[in-house]
């Protein structure tokens, strides 16, 4: 029974990440407040399948910590953050947020989810940048040490 529950929770978080990606992507073009973003996605086909609290945590946390997230992304990328494709940037912000603040999410999961989102919504090779940045970050950081600093 526990494995079915875990699969359901994983699927709900997967749907939450998808919605968060769309919300953060949208926010890059207009400064929509998080509460307004939440309301906009309540009619999305993935809303009933998502973990609403986790969606809100990803969106709010990524917005609140955007400077920190972007600094980590910038440090691990060969490109300035403002030149990264908006979909890939949104995926990176979510993954780096999870890396730093959601220690219960396995690293393999957050990398895999980010790559899958980029393959689905991003440019043809955008997932390669996301993979490279996350790989470099993961090799260079201690999750527990970082999370205690924030």
């Amino acid at each position: 029974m526990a494995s079915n529950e875990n699969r359901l929770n994983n699927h709900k978080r997967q749907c939450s990440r998808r919605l968060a990606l769309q919300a953060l992507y949208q926010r890059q073009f207009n400064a929509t407040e998080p509460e307004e973003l939440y309301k906009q996605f309540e009619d999305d086909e993935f809303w009933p399948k998502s973990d609403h609290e986790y969606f809100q945590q990803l969106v709010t946390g990524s917005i609140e910590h955007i400077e920190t997230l972007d600094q980590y992304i910038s440090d691990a990328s060969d490109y300035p953050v403002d030149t990264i494709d908006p979909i890939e940037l949104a995926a990176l912000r979510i993954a780096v947020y999870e890396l730093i603040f959601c220690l219960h999410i396995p690293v393999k999961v957050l990398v895999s989810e980010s790559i899958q989102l980029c393959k689905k919504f991003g440019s043809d090779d955008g997932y390669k940048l996301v993979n490279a940045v996350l790989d470099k970050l993961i090799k260079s950081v201690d999750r527990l040490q970082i999370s205690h600093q924030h």
Side-chain angles (χ1 to χ4, degrees), residues 9-17 51 54 104-105:
N9 287 337
N10 291 342
H11 181 70
K12 284 183 166 195
R13 281 194 298 265
Q14 198 174 44
C15 292
S16 300
R17 286 184 194 95
D51 177 334
Y54 198 64
H104 64 285
I105 304 294

Side-chain angles (χ1 to χ4, degrees), residues 3-133:
S3 64
N4 284 342
E5 188 175 323
N6 285 343
R7 276 196 292 274
L8 179 61
N9 287 337
N10 291 342
H11 181 70
K12 284 183 166 195
R13 281 194 298 265
Q14 198 174 44
C15 292
S16 300
R17 286 184 194 95
R18 179 188 177 122
L19 294 172
L21 176 88
Q22 294 171 300
L24 293 177
Y25 171 83
Q26 178 181 325
R27 193 162 198 283
Q28 290 179 59
F29 301 102
N30 58 48
T32 308
E33 290 300 315
E35 293 76 20
E36 184 60 33
L37 287 170
Y38 306 150
K39 289 177 192 169
Q40 291 178 18
F41 287 93
E42 289 176 357
D43 292 330
D44 189 282
E45 66 178 297
F46 285 90
W47 184 256
K49 304 172 192 173
S50 70
D51 177 334
H52 304 156
E53 286 181 25
Y54 198 64
F55 164 72
Q56 291 179 357
Q57 178 186 350
L58 292 174
V59 172
T60 302
S62 295
I63 291 169
E64 285 178 2
H65 299 286
I66 196 164
E67 291 173 12
T68 300
L69 303 177
D70 285 357
Q71 186 61 56
Y72 278 108
I73 293 166
S74 178
D75 290 348
S77 175
D78 295 333
Y79 305 98
V81 171
D82 62 355
T83 65
I84 297 174
D85 178 89
I87 289 290
E88 282 82 23
L89 183 57
L92 280 167
R93 286 174 173 160
I94 292 167
V96 175
Y97 175 80
E98 287 183 309
L99 182 68
I100 296 170
F101 297 102
C102 303
L103 300 182
H104 64 285
I105 304 294
V107 170
K108 286 182 179 181
V109 170
L110 66 92
V111 171
S112 174
E113 291 288 323
S114 300
I115 289 170
Q116 292 307 316
L117 286 170
C118 288
K119 284 182 176 180
K120 184 162 189 72
F121 297 107
S123 61
D124 287 344
D125 290 334
Y127 73 93
K128 293 178 183 177
L129 170 71
V130 170
N131 189 45
V133 169

